Amino acid sequence: MTSSNGQSALPVVPGAGSGRPRVGNREDLPDRIWTVPNALSVLRLLGVPLFLWLLLGPEEDLWAMVVLMAAGISDWADGKLARWLDQGSRLGALLDPAADRLYIVCTLVALALREFVPVWLVALLVGRELVLGVMLLILRAHGYPPLQVHYLGKAATFLLLYAFPGLLLADGDGWLAAIAEPFAWAFTIWGTALYLLAGVLYVVQVVGIVARDRATSRA
């Protein structure tokens, strides 16, 4: 498994001779900043306020949809480029999931404010992010970095980033909106389900790490 910035997405593997589990390999990545994948991730982050302004200010839904689609394409492209150019990095391993989560949360809130999506959907996905935030604090308390991005999480992010432009398109009139609506909601439902499942798997991994640590300390 690989995350979108080219690093291995291994969950938890035993540490050699230490008795402590070793989490992924993010710390083994090069400590570099100026790479093409990192530049794409930064551009994706800069697109968040632009998207929010387009959607909530002048309500330029078409241009907001273009920004979202560009974010989805760059999310795919930075991972491919990281592998093709051998430009995986620690910064990229942090920037990429951060940009994904920021886009999803901000987009959900904006779409809810425009009444494109129900509030319960926003509550589910934002609640998932809050739970993962608590898991990150637990990992830090035990001396571990964040876990690697799970492939289910990347699949869910892909579905949601393409579902949201579809929801904007489905809000219009005419045959194109009628065609887009079922596909947009299918992507939204499947993306939400996978996003929640990836969150559950993340919690399970963290619980396993904490249990291992406690067992090791008692040994």
Side-chain angles (χ1 to χ4, degrees), residues 45-98:
L45 282 168
L46 293 176
V48 173
L50 175 60
F51 166 77
L52 291 175
W53 177 75
L54 288 170
L55 193 63
L56 300 177
E59 296 190 0
E60 292 285 351
D61 294 351
L62 179 59
W63 284 110
M65 183 174 65
V66 169
V67 172
L68 269 183
M69 292 177 68
I73 293 170
S74 70
D75 184 43
W76 169 84
D78 66 6
K80 292 294 184 182
L81 290 172
R83 289 188 286 274
W84 290 344
L85 302 176
D86 191 23
Q87 290 188 349
S89 66
R90 294 182 193 177
L91 179 62
L94 294 173
L95 277 179
D96 184 65

Side-chain angles (χ1 to χ4, degrees), residues 54-61 108-117 168 171:
L54 288 170
L55 193 63
L56 300 177
E59 296 190 0
E60 292 285 351
D61 294 351
L108 277 170
V109 172
L111 291 178
L113 290 173
R114 290 281 306 276
E115 299 184 348
F116 290 153
V117 297
L168 289 174
D171 189 62

Side-chain angles (χ1 to χ4, degrees), residues 64-170:
M65 183 174 65
V66 169
V67 172
L68 269 183
M69 292 177 68
I73 293 170
S74 70
D75 184 43
W76 169 84
D78 66 6
K80 292 294 184 182
L81 290 172
R83 289 188 286 274
W84 290 344
L85 302 176
D86 191 23
Q87 290 188 349
S89 66
R90 294 182 193 177
L91 179 62
L94 294 173
L95 277 179
D96 184 65
D100 291 344
R101 288 175 179 175
L102 187 60
Y103 255 107
I104 288 173
V105 171
C106 290
T107 301
L108 277 170
V109 172
L111 291 178
L113 290 173
R114 290 281 306 276
E115 299 184 348
F116 290 153
V117 297
V119 175
W120 62 262
L121 180 64
V122 180
L124 272 179
L125 296 183
V126 173
R128 184 257 198 197
E129 295 304 319
L130 293 175
V131 171
L132 260 61
V134 173
M135 295 300 104
L136 291 175
L137 292 176
I138 293 173
L139 285 173
R140 180 174 295 180
H142 285 262
Y144 292 102
L147 300 183
Q148 297 290 348
V149 177
H150 197 279
Y151 73 93
L152 281 181
K154 293 305 300 182
T157 299
F158 174 85
L159 289 172
L160 290 174
L161 285 179
Y162 282 92
F164 296 149
L167 291 174
L168 289 174
L169 188 61

